Amino acid sequence: MSERKILFEWVMQPGSGKAIELLAGQILRIEQVEGLQCVDFNCFNLHDYKEFMHCGRTRTVHGFHPTKGSFLWSAPPRERALLYILEDTVGRNDVLFPRCSAYVYESAYGFDAHTNCHDIQAEAQREYGLTPDDVHDSFNLFMCTEVTLDGRATITRQESRAGDYVDLLALVDVLAVPNVCGADVMRTSNFALKPIRLTVFEATDAEIAATPKTPILKSQRTPIDFRNPTIKATRALVRDPNYVAEFVNFPLRVEDVAVALTADEYEMLERVRLPVYGADSGAALRDILFTWWEERFLGAAESGAPAIGEAE
Ligand SMILES: [Zn+2]
C-alpha cells in the first residue's frame, strides 16, 4: 500500500468533540480549518479504558512540547506507547496544562456556563459509556506554552494556519477523543473558537515500517499481573479487613559491596562524595553513574530517537 486510504472524515465545530475508534495502524489527522485553534486530546485503550494516555510519562520522555517523532504513553503500570506522532506541520504542542474546566471559567472569569474542554470531553466519550470522572489530562495540540524562570507555566499566542495538521498513528486500538478547546478568553486559541477537521487514514506499509519499535518489557504490567484485577463498581472506599501489605522489594536490605576503582575513578568519586554525600560512597557512585546514563540516553530521547526501553 503506497497511498493512504481515507476511512472517516468529520469537522468538529466549536463547543464540540468526537470520540473515534482508531485501530492499530490507522492515522488520525487533526487539521486546522481556519488556523489558530487549540485542540485537546484524550485517549484510552479501546479494549480496557483503565489504560489511558498519561501526559506525565509523555512529558518525562519527550519534554513539554511533544512533536513529530514523539510517542504518547499510557500511565503506569501499563506504561506503553499508545500513539506515535507521525507528522506535525507546526511543532508546538503542550503537555503542561490540564484541560480547561467549567470551574476555571467561573472562578477566574465569573462565567457560570462557559464552553470548556472537560465538559466537551465528557460528553463526547459518553458515547462509549464513560463518565465525567474518566476524562484525564490532555495532550494539547497547537497550544503554545512556556515555563518562566521562576517556574510558572504560561500560555502564549499561537501561529497555526489553515491546513496545518498533526498526524497520530495508533500503535494499539484506542478510543481517540479530540475536542475544540473552549478557551476564547485566553491566548490559547488567540481569543476566538474555530472548527477543526478530523480525518482517519489507513497508514501505508512504509509508514508503519518507519515507526520506531517499543518492545514490551517485564515491568509493563497488565491486569493479569495485578493482585486486584477487578474494577471497583461502587463509589465509596471501604477497608478490606483481610488486607496484608505485600509491597514489592520490601523490606529493603542494605549491604556494603566492594567496587574496584582506578585512581582517576576514585578521584572522581571523592569530588562528588565529599561536598554532597559525606560518608555515603554508594550514593556518590550512583550519582556518577546516573550522570553518565543521563548524558548517554536522555540526550538521545530529546532528539526524538528511541529512549530507554526502546530499541530498533
Ligand atoms: Zn480547553
Side-chain angles (χ1 to χ4, degrees):
M1 214 180 345
S2 59
E3 287 220 344
R4 287 184 188 172
K5 186 174 145 205
I6 294 178
L7 303 174
F8 177 76
E9 292 177 287
W10 185 269
V11 175
M12 294 192 297
Q13 294 302 329
S16 75
K18 182 68 184 160
I20 297 170
E21 294 182 35
L22 192 69
L23 305 183
Q26 295 179 350
I27 295 165
L28 172 61
R29 173 168 295 182
I30 299 174
E31 182 182 353
Q32 296 287 340
V33 174
E34 298 173 21
L36 307 176
Q37 179 60 51
C38 170
V39 177
D40 280 39
F41 179 86
N42 271 203
C43 87
F44 305 84
N45 175 344
L46 186 62
H47 310 295
D48 181 356
Y49 79 101
K50 283 290 191 182
E51 181 178 20
F52 55 88
M53 182 188 72
H54 191 235
C55 287
R57 165 68 177 157
T58 303
R59 190 161 58 225
T60 302
V61 179
H62 303 293
F64 300 154
H65 312 295
T67 182
K68 180 176 177 173
S70 302
F71 294 95
L72 301 179
W73 295 81
S74 61
R78 317 291 185 99
E79 217 158 355
R80 63 174 172 162
L82 298 177
L83 295 151
Y84 180 64
I85 305 178
L86 203 56
E87 191 52 76
D88 180 357
T89 63
V90 181
R92 288 302 302 268
N93 307 300
D94 167 83
V95 280
L96 280 171
F97 277 83
R99 62 221 179 258
C100 61
S101 64
Y103 174 80
V104 166
Y105 296 106
E106 185 174 14
S107 61
Y109 298 91
F111 301 133
D112 60 4
H114 191 280
T115 180
N116 68 85
C117 288
H118 182 95
D119 287 341
I120 298 170
Q121 283 281 330
E123 180 55 20
Q125 69 185 31
R126 187 172 65 83
E127 188 174 356
Y128 285 80
L130 294 171
T131 75
D133 283 338
D134 298 314
V135 180
H136 55 75
D137 267 0
S138 50
F139 173 46
N140 307 310
L141 291 85
F142 308 106
M143 185 179 184
C144 292
T145 58
E146 292 170 2
V147 178
T148 60
L149 286 176
D150 61 353
R152 283 179 304 113
T154 61
I155 305 168
T156 58
R157 295 182 197 91
Q158 60 160 287
E159 297 182 349
S160 67
R161 294 284 175 258
D164 276 328
Y165 63 88
V166 175
D167 278 354
L168 302 173
L169 169 66
L171 304 175
V172 299
D173 298 349
V174 296
L175 184 71
V177 193
N179 77 275
V180 176
C181 172
D184 60 350
V185 291
M186 306 171 192
R187 294 197 180 94
T188 318
S189 297
N190 298 34
F191 298 94
L193 304 181
K194 286 80 63 180
I196 287 288
R197 179 173 292 112
L198 305 173
T199 311
V200 176
F201 300 96
E202 194 81 61
T204 66
D205 295 342
E207 285 168 330
I208 291 174
T211 302
K213 302 289 178 284
T214 56
I216 294 300
L217 307 179
K218 189 162 159 267
S219 57
Q220 293 166 296
R221 282 152 288 154
T222 66
I224 225 169
D225 308 305
F226 296 174
R227 288 205 187 93
N228 180 8
T230 310
I231 297 173
K232 249 173 69 63
T234 53
R235 290 179 180 272
L237 298 176
V238 179
R239 183 174 182 276
D240 174 2
N242 300 316
Y243 169 77
V244 177
E246 291 179 54
F247 293 106
V248 181
N249 305 330
F250 184 86
L252 293 181
R253 196 179 73 240
V254 179
E255 56 186 73
D256 290 332
V257 177
V259 178
L261 299 176
T262 64
D264 282 355
E265 287 167 342
Y266 185 75
E267 195 261 328
M268 191 193 298
L269 177 74
E270 289 298 271
R271 246 189 341 215
V272 173
R273 182 179 71 83
L274 292 173
V276 185
Y277 295 107
D280 196 341
S281 299
L285 193 58
R286 287 193 289 277
D287 188 319
I288 291 168
L289 290 170
F290 179 81
T291 304
W292 173 84
W293 171 86
E294 196 174 43
E295 283 166 4
R296 179 143 167 22
F297 291 106
L298 293 193
E302 249 166 45
S303 68
I308 303 303
E310 300 163 12
E312 291 303 316

